[in-house]
Amino acid sequence: MRTVKATATSVLGFFVNPPGQHTLNSGLIIPNDDGVTRGIKNRYFEVHDVGHRSGVENDVKAGDIVLVEHGRWSRGFDMGREDGKKLYALDAKDILGVYEGDVNLIE
């Protein structure tokens, strides 16, 4: 994977549960998120790096799973990860909290 550090005021992360069709462990298929009537769900990101003046540098660290306000994000950037996850720039003001449960239970 390519190495990228956050700028002083940014937070970088990987989508844990990107929008799109998902099949749950139970076999249930959740359709695409149209942003209006279906599929709207919490957005979780795995933090890659936190800028030292981002406003959340004392609360969030690399590796944390954070809950982010539902909204729009620019396209992710391909970082050459084997799992294909893309890197996103997050607005620190949109980070609602740090998830402390089992990441495998996030849908």
Side-chain angles (χ1 to χ4, degrees), residues 6-78:
T7 60
T9 58
S10 68
V11 178
L12 301 176
F14 296 101
F15 233 137
V16 171
N17 63 335
Q21 183 170 304
H22 296 283
T23 303
L24 305 179
N25 292 338
S26 64
L28 181 66
I29 297 173
I30 307 287
N32 267 344
D33 177 358
D34 67 5
V36 179
T37 60
R38 66 172 189 244
I40 296 175
K41 59 184 180 174
N42 296 328
R43 305 292 191 205
Y44 292 93
F45 287 83
E46 175 188 349
V47 176
H48 172 69
D49 196 28
V50 180
H52 67 278
R53 289 183 310 177
S54 64
V56 295
E57 64 275 5
N58 295 322
D59 302 312
V60 176
K61 64 185 180 312
D64 282 349
I65 304 298
V66 294
L67 174 62
V68 177
E69 181 178 320
H70 182 81
R72 297 177 181 247
W73 297 278
S74 60
R75 282 179 257 168
F77 298 94
D78 183 2

Side-chain angles (χ1 to χ4, degrees), residues 86-97:
K86 295 179 179 181
L87 188 66
Y88 290 80
L90 308 175
D91 267 336
K93 67 177 180 50
D94 293 336
I95 295 175
L96 303 174

Side-chain angles (χ1 to χ4, degrees), residues 16 25 99 101-107:
V16 171
N25 292 338
Y99 179 74
D102 182 351
V103 71
N104 295 312
L105 298 177
I106 294 176
E107 298 176 355

